Amino acid sequence: MAVKTLITGFPRIGEQRELKKVLEDYWAGNISFDEVENTARTLRKKHWRLQKDAGIDFISSNDFSLYDNMLDTIVMLNAVPERFAGIGDKNERYFAMVRGNEKAAAMEMTKWFNTNYHFIVPELSDDLIFRLDSSKLLCEYREAKEAGLTTKINIIGPLTFLELSKTRDGGDSFKYLHRIMPVYRELLEEIAKPGESVYLQFDEPALVRNPSGEILSLLRPVYSELAGLSDHINIIVTSYFEHSVEATKILAGTPIWGIGLDFVHGRRNLEGLEAAAAKTLIAGVVDGRNIWRNDISASLDLLNRIQKVIPQDRIVVSTSCSLLHSPYSIKNEGQGDVKKYLAFAYEKVEEVSLLARLFSSGPLSAAEESLIGENKKNLLPGSGPNRAKDNTARPAEPGGKAREGSYAERRAIQEKRLNLPVLPTTTIGSFPQTSELRKARNDYKKGLLPDAAYEAVIKKYIDDCVVFQEEIGLDVLVHGEPERNDMVEYFGELLDGFHFTKNGWVQSYGSRCVKPPVIFGDISRPEPMTVKWISYAQGKTKKPMKGMLTGPVTILNWSFVRNDIPRSVVAKQIALALSDEIADLQKAGIKIIQVDEAAFREGYPLRKENTGGYEQWALEAFRLAVSSADKATQIHTHMCYSEFSGIIKTIEAMDADVLTIETARSGNKLLGVFREAAYQNEIGPGVYDIHSPRIPPAAEFREQIMARLEVLDKQKMWVNPDCGLKTRRWEEVRPALKNMVEAALAVRGEISGAIS
Ligand code: GLN
Ligand code: ZN
């Protein structure tokens, strides 16, 4: 009997990002919701069909979403926060929750485990009335039926849902378990139809993050109850991104049907197999979140190892996690050296299918052997591009080369040199990317726009940015990043060792996608990358112009990195290139340089026992990058959505003069740890939620600033937005920043007496 196959989830944004396009058109008021639905339906059908054609047995429904699966779960449980409850139209309410409206601020968004995908954080409170809304889930299930498929239904498990929720009263979110369980139960009762077997995949990735005693103790009762409801229901509990050995042992004693484990990023899952020997094992052996071809013979070895514990007829070959984190297909890539090493979602589906076939077939035939031989040629390093110039041989102090001077010493020098007021105002770097700008950049890349004309467009944009910032009275200016399509791609294109895909888009949040570069060789900097534009911008103003770089850890974490070189080595290579760039900026007279580390936090390993190693090399890379900065050069760093508790010592050791972070949606909650740790350096807590089109009035900014002052030292606080403004429109940004500066000036006036 052939070994069965399962795909944990499939990307939904579409081969040509169709979903993104219709959503944004709908939000802009250009099309009706029906058109969004039509596109969504077409995409689902297409994705189901291609999995079916590849011979996949368990294909998911409800892996689709118009925005996010956590948001869908919030709707499914009717956990809609009160401020949106009054919006009668269901679709309007759905999008208001994530985009905000005039009356209500959007819900918080944060990163999904250690990926760059963002989910909506549920807000739980006692007044919620949990009630089942199964419409989306059932619609998609029926839609698949009409298309001739019986799908496995994906659901976010109750434990992960709660673990990722916040509570209004700050209490433990698991106290709501007894209130959401009846809703899950009702859902299952609705799904369970006599005479029809249904497969449900409960995603429980919370189980991989050093699960607490509490979550482990709830596992058995929750899944015993759900799996015991009906004989027609087969529950698979799936975890990914790491091992979940503790949970596997417990789940083995519940009446669930299968356990889904990630053997790519959670090798230790092998240790839990004995306990699970009576279950069906969904063996995630094809990496769902990197883009290299599967090493077929290594995967077969792994499956054979698993087979020693679990009989083959109870092994289902699968992806390590949802393919949501992979681009669509390499079919749309041009020819090139790197292409043959790549496998995106579509190709991974075929890999799963092929692996199951080879695994079933026992001793391999000559044809199969030669297929494996072919596969070997498409793996790095094997016959891969040679590693040309390993520049890490350049001297770098172990433990992370330190900058010159202590923070106190640097602060004194910088204060004199920069002469900034209290509560200095700044932005995070990018200004709105207009369609003209995008067109100019694309035309230039295609060779349709000559150098001089392109330069004129960029310079004009910078000119306008500077004039605007001076007009509203910001203290530290930026050039607006008009020459950058993306903060990582821009640097990758100028560094050696990177490959760029044509269509390798991966969903980041809602309609937003990123196209991570592929690091396939050693990295070096042939020439300066930002000096020309930053110097031009500085030439237009007497105020300090902030140089803008993306940090080594972020460039690494937002790229697809080859598996055969340690990440620490790649980070160091990038750091050396950036350190040269900082030296050049400094020489050109730039006094403030921001090194963005937006992805520093998300790179943390999910298991505590592994964080030490990561912290060491990540910190080392950051410090190496900024080690070329003089005492007089003020180094800023920026991090979005960071949960800093537990990593505050590392943040301290990064020793940036100024750290800007996201706090507009999360309020003071994040800042407590800085106070408790007696963090010494300056902080710019975000006061403008840039993920929402909303324009906060000056009074609201004032409140935000006053609230931050309750926690932070006024001598060391900056006023700035949460993040870059490139995804916003000028019509929003102009009034919003004007209000922000106005509020900062007012507060400055009120408190300055108290300071001097
Ligand atoms: N400087 C970048 C920008 O402003 C930072 C973006 C980020 O942190 N994601 O766009
Ligand atoms: Zn940011």
Side-chain angles (χ1 to χ4, degrees), residues 428-430 481 487 548 558 594 596 598 638 640 723-726:
I428 305 305
S430 57
E481 304 181 21
M487 63 190 283
M548 199 55 65
W558 281 351
Q594 180 173 309
D596 289 323
H638 165 72
C640 335
C723 194
L725 302 164
K726 70 180 229 191

Side-chain angles (χ1 to χ4, degrees), residues 131 142 158 191 196 235-236 267 275 299 305 377 400 487 529 565 574 591:
R131 190 180 340 109
R142 289 191 194 119
I191 294 173
E196 183 182 326
I235 289 184
I236 303 166
R267 224 17 212 207
S299 294
R305 222 175 126 179
K377 290 191 201 148
M487 63 190 283
M529 304 179 283
I565 307 178
I574 306 170
K591 299 181 183 131

Side-chain angles (χ1 to χ4, degrees), residues 58 163 209 259-260 286 358 417 516 526 666 715 731 754:
F58 294 97
E163 165 109 338
R209 244 179 358 191
I259 300 180
V286 170
L358 296 178
R417 186 184 195 206
S666 52
Q715 300 276 21
E731 297 79 60

